[in-house]
Amino acid sequence: MSVKIVEVAPRDGLQNISQIVPTNTKVELIERLAAAGLKTIEATSFVSPRWVPQLADAKQVLQRIQPRTRSNVCLPVLVPNVQGLELAHRSAVDEVAVFVSATEGFSKKNINCTVDESLIRVKKVIEAAKPLGIRVRGYVSCIFCDPYDGPTTPQQVRKVTQFLLDAGCYEVSLGDTLGVGTPTDVQTLYGDLLKFVPKERLAGHFHDTYGQAIANVVKSYDMGIRTFDSSIAGLGGCPFAKGAKGNLATEDLVYTLNKMGVSTGVNLDKLVTTGTWISGQLGLPNGSRAGAALASQ
Ligand code: HMG
Ligand code: MG
């Protein structure tokens, strides 16, 4: 039994922090995560630097990562449009992630377009990525609730998920951007989606605002999902989703999976050390419950 972890701290974890984190700290974070055994690390994003100033150094981050790490670890980057894809390609990236919201309010605030316009935009990215040999992963945001529109229906999530898969994404990561969902919501959503989409093509991306993220992972795992996104020290939040707290902490995820006898290939001790280190660098409390507990032993 094994689970694939997609570590998202260098992108999702940092994008919401207003004080600019030094490029070398970002690079050291990626190197430490790789040394802990993480094989997929979302490194940064090529989005408009006016929208997300924190990640304006995407090119420099990629340039400074050790060649050995670049060849041994998958380092996808987030892109909102073909312009971002081209920048990623110039940095020799071989996987990008595109993102759409299931809901209109967040779509407008996050990427300044409607859901249907965003689908046209990402289709262009997927089409342009193919001849470049760049793999494309998809994200769907606001799977349970939108900060502006309120609750999301499974039908809204299904529409965009199926579109992304049909357009050529190899996998779609389902984001509870606000971190409001519970295992009951997971049951309802996956109960619907899994009638239409193979479980191998879905991933879980939970935020921990209401402390439900790990329970949602366990529920998703029981329903057959085997890929989960998480963020060291629970870093994260979205600048365009007010009130949303950090992502599921990678330490909490690995702790739980270890106890379930599920292998992840990740060294928990090294993760805990890295979580303590990055929390100190950022001057933030450690958002991982397991990480903080293990660090204090
Ligand atoms: P816009 O202002 O509507 O678009 O932004 P535009 O095409 O008019 O471009 C405006 C300026 O941005 C132009 O520059 C473009 O060149 C530049 P100017 O001529 O004014 O100097 N630009 C770019 N620069 C660098 N890289 C690019 C790029 N594209 C345009 N790729 C746009 C539209 C989509 C660009 C903008 O809204 C944007 O970048 N949004 C990104 C927001 C973001 O990153 N949000 C966080 C990620 S999503 C998330 O966190 C959720 C997720 O984690 C899942 C979950 O947690 O649930 C995925
Ligand atoms: Mg997130």
Side-chain angles (χ1 to χ4, degrees):
M1 292 187 296
S2 68
V3 149
K4 176 181 167 185
I5 297 179
V6 177
E7 169 63 46
V8 296
R11 193 277 303 172
D12 201 357
L14 299 183
Q15 69 185 9
N16 198 33
I17 295 175
S18 46
Q19 197 177 338
I20 300 297
V21 177
T23 305
N24 282 346
T25 306
K26 296 174 181 170
V27 174
E28 184 171 347
L29 174 61
I30 293 167
E31 297 291 359
R32 283 176 177 251
L33 292 166
L38 286 152
K39 286 282 171 225
T40 305
I41 305 170
E42 202 171 76
T44 183
S45 64
F46 284 98
V47 298
S48 165
R50 279 208 272 132
W51 285 65
V52 183
Q54 179 64 258
L55 301 182
D57 59 352
K59 179 179 164 188
Q60 290 75 16
V61 168
L62 289 166
Q63 262 168 357
R64 291 185 206 174
I65 296 171
Q66 286 175 31
R68 195 164 52 94
T69 307
R70 287 205 68 167
S71 54
N72 289 342
V73 177
C74 178
L75 297 166
V77 302
L78 193 79
V79 301
N81 50 20
V82 171
Q83 192 175 337
L85 174 77
E86 282 163 1
L87 292 169
H89 180 54
R90 268 184 245 157
S91 287
V93 162
D94 52 23
E95 181 174 320
V96 296
V98 292
F99 54 110
V100 298
S101 179
T103 54
E104 296 295 341
F106 184 68
S107 184
K108 198 77 193 143
K109 288 281 196 270
N110 193 37
I111 46 176
N112 202 21
C113 65
T114 66
V115 172
D116 284 343
E117 285 163 351
S118 76
L119 295 176
I120 295 168
R121 213 184 259 178
V122 299
K123 193 155 195 259
K124 287 186 184 150
V125 175
I126 297 166
E127 282 166 3
K130 205 169 179 193
L132 301 174
I134 296 178
R135 294 183 353 131
V136 185
R137 185 176 200 241
Y139 277 110
V140 173
S141 307
C142 299
I143 59 167
F144 297 130
C145 193
D146 175 293
Y148 312 96
D149 298 352
T152 310
T153 64
Q155 291 70 28
Q156 286 174 288
V157 179
R158 195 205 307 158
K159 172 187 153 180
V160 292
T161 302
Q162 283 190 308
F163 182 96
L164 290 174
L165 292 172
D166 292 346
C169 288
Y170 74 87
E171 174 179 281
V172 170
S173 173
L174 298 170
D176 178 13
T177 313
L178 294 188
V180 294
T182 66
T184 309
D185 298 311
V186 171
Q187 168 91 54
T188 305
L189 178 62
Y190 282 120
D192 179 81
L193 274 179
L194 292 174
K195 287 187 210 142
F196 304 93
V197 177
K199 55 187 184 317
E200 298 76 23
R201 301 192 71 190
L202 296 176
H205 180 112
F206 296 106
H207 283 244
D208 210 19
T209 316
Y210 284 79
Q212 302 292 305
I214 203 71
N216 290 337
V217 165
V218 174
K219 183 74 198 171
S220 311
Y221 182 88
D222 287 345
M223 296 184 78
I225 306 305
R226 293 291 180 270
T227 301
F228 295 100
D229 304 350
S230 62
S231 176
I232 191 81
L235 292 172
C238 179
F240 309 102
K242 283 212 168 27
K245 290 240 167 34
N247 291 271
L248 165 65
T250 309
E251 303 92 310
D252 296 358
L253 177 62
V254 172
Y255 178 81
T256 299
L257 293 172
N258 281 354
K259 294 274 180 180
M260 287 164 66
V262 176
S263 83
T264 60
V266 179
N267 180 312
L268 183 56
D269 291 339
K270 286 188 181 171
L271 272 190
V272 170
T273 310
T274 302
T276 306
W277 169 79
I278 191 64
S279 301
Q281 292 293 313
L282 301 175
L284 293 172
N286 190 336
S288 166
R289 301 287 285 268
L294 290 167
S296 68
Q297 279 175 10

